[in-house]
Amino acid sequence: MQEKWVVGIDLGGTTVKIAFLTTDGSMIDNWEIPTDNANEGANITSDIAKSINEKLAEWNHKKEDVLGAGMGAPGPFDYETGIIYNTVNLSWPDNFPLKDNLERDLGLPVILDNDANCAALGEMWKGAGEGYKDLVCVTLGTGVGGGIIVDGKIVQGAKGAAGEIGHITSIVENGAPCNCGKTGCLETISSATGIVRIAKERLAENPKSGLQEILQNNGTISAKDVFDQAIAGDEIANEVVSFVAFHLGLVLANIANTLNPEKIVLGGGVSKAGDILLKPVNDYFRKYSFKAVAQSTVIDVATLGNTAGVIGAAWLANK
Ligand code: ZN
């Protein structure tokens, strides 16, 4: 008999990341295939199954020695039936039977979770949250994703919509519109997209900034430009970073006041900004945290990068 493996799948709008792991979480192989959005996504699950079967053959590993597959998908979906309700970044029709189709094509049991939850589980299994059971993970990327783990388990909520940290309302009046239909969500502020939007608004009022030169020369600015300019001492860039840090620190403090996790793990591209962002976030976090929370909840940076999703997905299958 061969060593038992588990498969992790991280489904995105343009690529599908796939990995084989051992049951103790060692990565055997990881690769990606394009997401075929043609014909209402009819080929996606069969493409995934084909790719996994080919890799198993390459590794000379029998399918009987694979326990199952976990998949992170852009939710929301029904945890009991594995039906994905609506897929903004994927071309499936609403109420697509994702779990059933993948199980049929792959011939292995499949467990689904939301992609942000999988990233959180990955960090808990092999990343910055290793060894912790009470963890909140916040992914600061194009949007803001969240995953809440209490006593080693993802908090799913009544309709699978728990942990939507990006949609916590941080600005009550005159907030920017969010993709979710509300206004003033954290995602409109502390995502890469939000940071760029805020910087451009500030530049329109006061163009005396190094950021204005970058905007003129490149036609656009990035969140990284804002952080780089802030480090260089640019006043507008520092105002933007301070604004973003205030809202992120405040929201994280309120989450921590509710859950008192051992760790809050920040991932995604924006978390790579380093101390220029993390220090003021920590300061605001301490300012708005209940004393016992401030003394016990630690903010840390994710360590797994873009493999967190496949690792967490594989963890789901590791039963
Ligand atoms: Zn929102």
Side-chain angles (χ1 to χ4, degrees):
M1 199 174 69
Q2 292 173 304
E3 184 181 33
K4 297 291 182 194
W5 287 1
V6 281
V7 183
I9 305 163
D10 183 4
L11 176 63
T14 50
T15 59
V16 187
K17 296 187 182 73
I18 308 173
F20 294 150
L21 281 86
T22 63
T23 53
D24 61 6
S26 299
M27 182 80 82
I28 301 290
D29 197 353
N30 76 100
W31 69 99
E32 57 182 56
I33 60 170
T35 307
D36 179 4
N37 276 307
N39 302 320
E40 293 200 313
N43 301 321
I44 294 176
T45 55
S46 56
D47 284 355
I48 292 169
K50 185 163 164 262
S51 179
I52 289 169
N53 289 334
E54 284 170 3
K55 277 282 178 186
L56 284 174
E58 271 177 40
W59 280 93
N60 211 3
H61 196 91
K62 290 197 192 74
K63 204 182 253 183
E64 300 93 272
D65 293 315
V66 178
L67 297 180
M71 181 193 251
F77 50 83
D78 185 320
Y79 276 99
E80 279 179 20
T81 59
I83 287 173
I84 187 157
Y85 294 128
N86 53 44
T87 54
V88 179
N89 297 319
L90 296 158
S91 51
W92 287 320
D94 285 354
N95 301 315
F96 184 81
L98 178 55
K99 176 182 154 79
D100 284 355
N101 284 14
L102 186 58
E103 285 187 336
R104 176 197 66 201
D105 293 341
L106 185 57
L108 285 170
V110 171
I111 300 178
L112 295 181
D113 211 319
N114 158 315
D115 45 9
N117 288 347
C118 284
L121 290 168
E123 289 294 335
M124 178 182 76
W125 198 15
K126 287 288 151 185
E130 191 170 352
Y132 295 90
K133 289 167 83 181
D134 289 291
L135 205 63
V136 171
C137 292
V138 185
T139 309
L140 307 166
T142 317
V144 173
I148 293 170
I149 298 172
V150 173
D151 203 18
K153 282 189 187 145
I154 282 286
V155 177
Q156 297 175 336
K159 190 100 170 142
E164 288 291 349
I165 292 166
H167 303 288
I168 289 179
T169 303
S170 180
I171 295 182
V172 177
E173 283 182 45
N174 303 319
C178 181
N179 289 330
C180 74
K182 301 197 295 133
T183 57
C185 295
L186 182 67
E187 179 164 297
T188 68
I189 302 164
S190 62
S191 63
T193 326
I195 293 165
V196 168
R197 180 189 58 78
I198 294 160
K200 284 181 175 170
E201 281 177 9
R202 297 284 166 105
L203 287 178
E205 290 162 14
N206 182 1
K208 273 181 67 182
S209 163
L211 285 172
Q212 185 67 23
E213 273 173 49
I214 297 171
L215 183 60
Q216 267 160 0
N217 292 340
N218 302 350
T220 185
I221 47 173
S222 66
K224 186 175 184 301
D225 292 331
V226 176
F227 292 122
D228 287 347
Q229 285 297 309
I231 291 167
D234 184 86
E235 200 176 318
I236 299 282
N238 273 294
E239 276 176 34
V240 175
V241 172
S242 177
F243 181 82
V244 169
F246 165 79
H247 286 280
L248 185 56
L250 173 66
V251 166
L252 295 181
N254 285 333
I255 293 167
N257 289 339
T258 313
L259 296 167
N260 188 204
E262 295 161 288
K263 257 194 187 185
I264 296 176
V265 177
L266 302 179
V270 172
S271 71
K272 296 195 178 80
D275 281 348
I276 187 76
L277 177 69
L278 298 177
K279 181 165 185 314
V281 167
N282 247 305
D283 291 344
Y284 285 117
F285 175 76
R286 312 241 152 256
K287 182 173 179 184
Y288 296 115
S289 292
F290 183 64
K291 194 174 171 195
V293 170
Q295 287 168 345
S296 53
T297 296
V298 176
I299 298 180
D300 204 352
V301 178
T303 58
L304 296 179
N306 61 11
T307 58
V310 283
I311 293 173
W315 183 89
L316 291 171
N318 194 17
K319 298 279 160 68

